[in-house]
Amino acid sequence: MRGPRLTLRVLSSSADCAVIRVGGELDHGGERLFLDTLGESVDTGHRYLVLDMTTLTFCDSRGLNCLFAVRWLLRRQGGELLLAAVGRRLTYLLEQTGGSDMIATYRSVREALDHVPERLRAGWPPGTVPGSARPPAP
């Protein structure tokens, strides 16, 4: 039996915001991992999640439902789900289901973070101080 074909990696975070790279396949096989991991992130206080979809290779209706579930959870917390670097397949799914009216998509993580309140943003690029483009002091 193969393990999950989905990978999730936190690239940067602040108390209220996390940037998470979603890679591989977001479908039935990765559904539980996705929901558990992002649910834990929300439980720790992240009200804004920026999902970097650069390395996502597949997403089906189950994966789309996962995105809607996380969006619903974040909205209940007064936050938002933002998708960055969304590929053609997921863009098509969002457009065909009306999801593009519900979940914001951006060309890059930087662009998505620009839509998070500045005082709450995770640092970007990774390793920078939140709210700035400077690397942290040694």
Side-chain angles (χ1 to χ4, degrees):
M1 180 172 166
R2 287 176 35 175
R5 297 175 307 267
L6 178 72
T7 60
L8 299 165
R9 184 171 148 233
V10 176
L11 300 177
S12 182
S13 69
S14 67
D16 295 283
C17 177
V19 177
I20 300 171
R21 177 161 293 150
V22 180
E25 301 175 11
L26 181 53
D27 58 8
H28 176 73
E31 182 177 31
R32 182 59 30 220
L33 173 64
F34 184 84
L35 293 174
D36 287 350
T37 302
L38 272 62
E40 288 173 20
S41 186
V42 173
D43 286 347
T44 64
H46 296 132
R47 294 181 297 133
Y48 292 88
L49 294 180
V50 175
L51 302 185
D52 175 0
M53 308 302 253
T54 304
T55 59
L56 184 72
T57 58
F58 180 78
C59 181
D60 64 6
S61 61
R62 293 293 285 259
L64 190 60
N65 284 332
C66 288
L67 293 172
F68 290 136
V70 171
R71 177 195 178 269
W72 177 84
L73 180 62
L74 289 165
R75 298 288 295 216
R76 287 182 47 105
Q77 304 294 324
E80 194 66 52
L81 175 65
L82 305 102
L83 304 182
V86 177
R88 281 184 277 174
R89 168 96 173 132
L90 182 53
T91 297
Y92 176 80
L93 279 174
L94 289 168
E95 288 172 354
Q96 294 302 308
T97 61
S100 56
D101 295 333
M102 298 170 55
I103 300 175
T105 61
Y106 301 94
R107 290 178 300 191
S108 67
V109 170
R110 166 70 66 209
E111 187 179 308
L113 283 169
D114 285 345
H115 290 84
V116 174
E118 188 172 357
R119 71 188 194 304
L120 305 178
R121 286 181 198 154
W124 195 258
T128 60
V129 176
S132 78
R134 293 179 283 120

